Amino acid sequence: MLKKYRKTLIIATIIILLPMLAGLILWNRLPEKFPIHFNASGEADGFSSKAFGVFGIPLILVAFQWLCALGSLKMDPKAENLEGKVFSLVLWIIPAISIVMNALVYCTALGMDMNVQIIIPLLIGLLMVIIGNWLPKCKPSWTLGIKLPWTLADENNWNRTHRFAGPVWVVCGMVIMLCALLGGAFLWVMPVAFVVMIAAPAVYSYLLFKGKIR
């Protein structure tokens, strides 16, 4: 099965490593104290060397991409259910994160104000909306989806739970994006949305398991 996704993995790897090229081009303009972490206010509060920022972060993301892909395709007992557009979409998440994250880091290192406290929640909310759209199409596996004992043991529970979870994730993702734009007093709603995304499908699937929902 790995052979089927080899081309996608190679292209994704190249995209993950593209920020290294940008770092080489901007090398002389980048500071030696390189920002790699931001606090809740969007201010850089964690730093590394320039070399680690330019080369280390993309290489770590590549290692994580291949570890997840190989682990899923080789070790998942239900790996045959990973075939299709859903798993292909998942393989593009880390490349997208690499481009966005490194763009924010480089711009911050060059002294630009990027409003990280708005951009990051917007992107997270968008990701939740995208995931919510494919959750109902997700087949049972140990790699993707809402992996609970009763969903993995019962395909009907799995399917109904994921059909329920899809709209919940889409709505919560949109709420997170809206709160990021509104800011201020609305920011407290974001952690509530994350809790709902996790808790609501779990409770629903458990009630199905116990026969409380028909």
Side-chain angles (χ1 to χ4, degrees), residues 8-20 54-71 91 93-99 101-102:
T8 300
L9 281 167
I10 291 173
I11 296 173
T13 298
I14 293 171
I15 293 174
I16 295 172
L17 295 176
L18 278 179
M20 292 172 57
V54 172
F55 301 108
I57 294 176
L59 289 173
I60 289 173
L61 289 175
V62 165
F64 188 68
Q65 170 87 345
W66 279 87
L67 181 64
C68 291
L70 293 176
L91 294 178
I93 291 178
I94 293 180
I97 290 174
S98 178
I99 295 298
M101 183 179 71
N102 281 285

Side-chain angles (χ1 to χ4, degrees), residues 138-150:
C138 189
K139 296 180 180 180
S141 77
W142 290 77
T143 301
L144 304 177
I146 301 167
K147 301 175 290 296
L148 297 168
W150 40 88

Side-chain angles (χ1 to χ4, degrees), residues 3-132:
K3 187 179 295 184
K4 177 180 178 178
Y5 295 101
R6 184 178 298 167
K7 182 179 179 180
T8 300
L9 281 167
I10 291 173
I11 296 173
T13 298
I14 293 171
I15 293 174
I16 295 172
L17 295 176
L18 278 179
M20 292 172 57
L21 177 60
L24 289 172
I25 294 171
L26 298 169
W27 186 267
N28 292 330
R29 295 175 57 192
L30 294 172
E32 291 299 327
K33 190 178 180 182
F34 208 78
I36 59 171
H37 187 271
F38 301 86
N39 60 26
S41 300
E43 301 169 343
D45 64 350
F47 298 87
S48 72
S49 66
K50 178 164 61 175
F52 178 82
V54 172
F55 301 108
I57 294 176
L59 289 173
I60 289 173
L61 289 175
V62 165
F64 188 68
Q65 170 87 345
W66 279 87
L67 181 64
C68 291
L70 293 176
S72 301
L73 296 172
K74 295 292 187 180
M75 300 176 65
D76 192 330
K78 297 184 178 182
E80 68 277 2
N81 287 340
L82 295 175
E83 293 192 72
K85 294 180 180 179
V86 173
F87 189 67
S88 296
L89 173 64
V90 171
L91 294 178
W92 291 107
I93 291 178
I94 293 180
I97 290 174
S98 178
I99 295 298
V100 173
M101 183 179 71
N102 281 285
L104 290 174
V105 166
Y106 284 152
C107 289
T108 302
L110 294 171
M112 302 178 189
D113 184 8
M114 295 303 295
N115 291 323
V116 175
Q117 70 274 26
I118 295 177
I119 295 174
I120 295 299
L122 278 175
L123 294 174
I124 291 175
L126 177 61
L127 180 60
M128 297 303 102
V129 170
I130 294 172
I131 292 175

Side-chain angles (χ1 to χ4, degrees), residues 153-197:
D154 182 0
E155 188 169 351
N156 178 61
N157 188 304
W158 176 283
N159 292 333
R160 290 185 63 181
T161 296
H162 284 72
R163 285 197 297 267
F164 172 83
V168 172
W169 277 57
V170 169
V171 171
C172 288
M174 294 174 67
V175 168
I176 291 170
M177 295 171 70
L178 181 61
C179 291
L181 292 173
L182 295 174
F186 293 92
L187 293 178
W188 70 268
V189 179
M190 286 196 287
V192 175
F194 281 114
V195 171
V196 170
M197 288 165 50

